[in-house]
Amino acid sequence: MNTPELPPKAEVTLPQRKLAFFPAACSIMALLLLIVWPAQALPGPTPEQQLKQHIQQELQQYLRQLGVKARQQEIQLNLPSALSDNRCDKLDISRRQQTEPPLGRVSYSLSCTSPQRWQSRAVAQVKLFLPLVVASRTLERDEVLTADMLSLQDLDISSIRHGLEFDAATLLGMTVKRRISAGSPVSRHLLQAAYLVQKGAQITLQYRGDGFAVTTSAIALSDGQLGERISVQNVSSGKVIDAIVTGENNAETTQK
């Protein structure tokens, strides 16, 4: 005799609203935990990180004064090993000669007031590379600078500091006072103003007008560098006029 099959029992399921309760409850519990037990604050920067940031800020200020951008900078720090585990919320950083840029070997004083009080010293080795005007070839004494004699090269200025030149055009026409090796920085203390026209010298004066040019002789009444305006006296007429120095014993004017 066959036993009739019973209908399958329905599976017991929780109402959907009950299922939705658990994630909501977990979120509320997590929020309560954050309120009761707040997360521990992350540690602040180490003294080494703070010192490096301080030096970078000093370098940026120095670059703004120069009006140039650095091509590269290198900062190497030497701190006491005990500072590696120290934290400081209020760190005072100072050095001697604050008006000088932090270049080369620089000694810093560190003073912490919170959370603990301590004092220490650190040494930084700082290099800053800037595009300087250098000699394209060896420049001999009494040579007059032209554009092909000069070029730009990225150099570490930590051992130069003074007499920095970033624009070769401002040096053109000056005379070399002493020999400058190829690749060496060219600064103004190695140069002197070149007078292409000497006071009292007879020069060639060119008049330029609309579509014509006339050449005559004149006497220079003052020394003149390339591109400089000087007074000259026309030999023929005796008239004194202004002219622009265009070369050695040469000047040009539009005055008649």
Side-chain angles (χ1 to χ4, degrees):
M1 180 176 181
N2 294 331
T3 305
E5 292 185 3
L6 298 175
K9 293 182 179 180
E11 293 183 2
V12 178
T13 59
L14 293 174
Q16 290 298 319
R17 60 186 181 85
K18 294 292 185 181
L19 287 172
F21 168 78
F22 289 102
C26 292
S27 299
I28 294 171
M29 289 299 294
L31 181 60
L32 289 173
L33 287 173
L34 288 174
I35 296 173
V36 178
W37 291 290
Q40 199 172 26
L42 294 175
T46 64
E48 181 176 1
Q49 291 170 332
Q50 293 182 67
L51 176 56
K52 188 171 185 178
Q53 183 180 16
H54 178 85
I55 296 173
Q56 289 172 338
Q57 291 173 349
E58 287 189 310
L59 289 176
Q60 288 304 315
Q61 181 179 358
Y62 177 57
L63 289 171
R64 283 194 293 269
Q65 293 173 355
L66 294 178
V68 296
K69 293 183 178 180
R71 300 297 178 89
Q72 181 184 348
Q73 64 182 36
E74 298 177 6
I75 302 174
Q76 295 181 351
L77 300 178
N78 184 9
L79 286 80
S81 57
L83 292 186
S84 59
D85 298 327
N86 282 7
R87 296 285 172 173
C88 183
D89 298 332
K90 295 182 179 180
L91 183 64
D92 180 65
I93 302 172
S94 61
R95 62 181 174 89
R96 295 180 179 178
Q97 298 177 331
Q98 290 282 352
T99 57
E100 292 292 325
L103 297 174
R105 188 178 186 278
V106 188
S107 179
Y108 285 90
S109 296
L110 310 179
S111 179
C112 182
T113 57
S114 176
Q116 295 179 339
R117 289 183 175 272
W118 52 263
Q119 292 184 343
S120 185
R121 298 186 69 84
V123 175
Q125 190 69 40
V126 184
K127 294 182 179 181
L128 186 64
F129 292 82
L130 299 180
L132 298 185
V133 178
V134 300
S136 300
R137 59 170 176 80
T138 299
L139 305 179
E140 302 295 346
R141 181 178 178 180
D142 294 333
E143 282 196 274
V144 178
L145 293 180
T146 56
D148 61 314
M149 298 179 181
L150 305 172
S151 60
L152 292 179
Q153 184 177 336
D154 293 344
L155 295 178
D156 173 26
I157 68 167
S158 61
S159 59
I160 304 175
R161 310 263 185 116
H162 305 290
L164 305 176
E165 296 293 338
F166 307 107
D167 186 2
T170 61
L171 304 179
L172 299 183
M174 300 188 76
T175 302
V176 180
K177 288 199 296 187
R178 62 174 183 265
R179 194 172 188 265
I180 304 174
S181 301
S184 298
V186 178
S187 58
R188 292 178 187 270
H189 77 279
L190 301 174
L191 309 172
Q192 62 185 3
Y195 293 112
L196 297 180
V197 172
Q198 302 286 336
K199 180 180 179 180
Q202 183 168 315
I203 66 171
T204 299
L205 179 64
Q206 188 175 61
Y207 289 93
R208 284 191 175 274
D210 294 333
F212 72 93
V214 178
T215 301
T216 187
S217 295
I219 302 298
L221 301 180
S222 58
D223 297 328
Q225 302 176 35
L226 182 65
E228 188 176 4
R229 185 182 298 275
I230 62 172
S231 295
V232 300
Q233 185 176 33
N234 188 314
V235 172
S236 301
S237 65
K239 186 177 180 180
V240 175
I241 58 177
D242 290 337
I244 302 296
V245 177
T246 57
E248 186 173 2
N249 290 328
N250 283 275
E252 183 180 286
T253 185
T254 56
Q255 294 180 252
K256 294 181 180 180

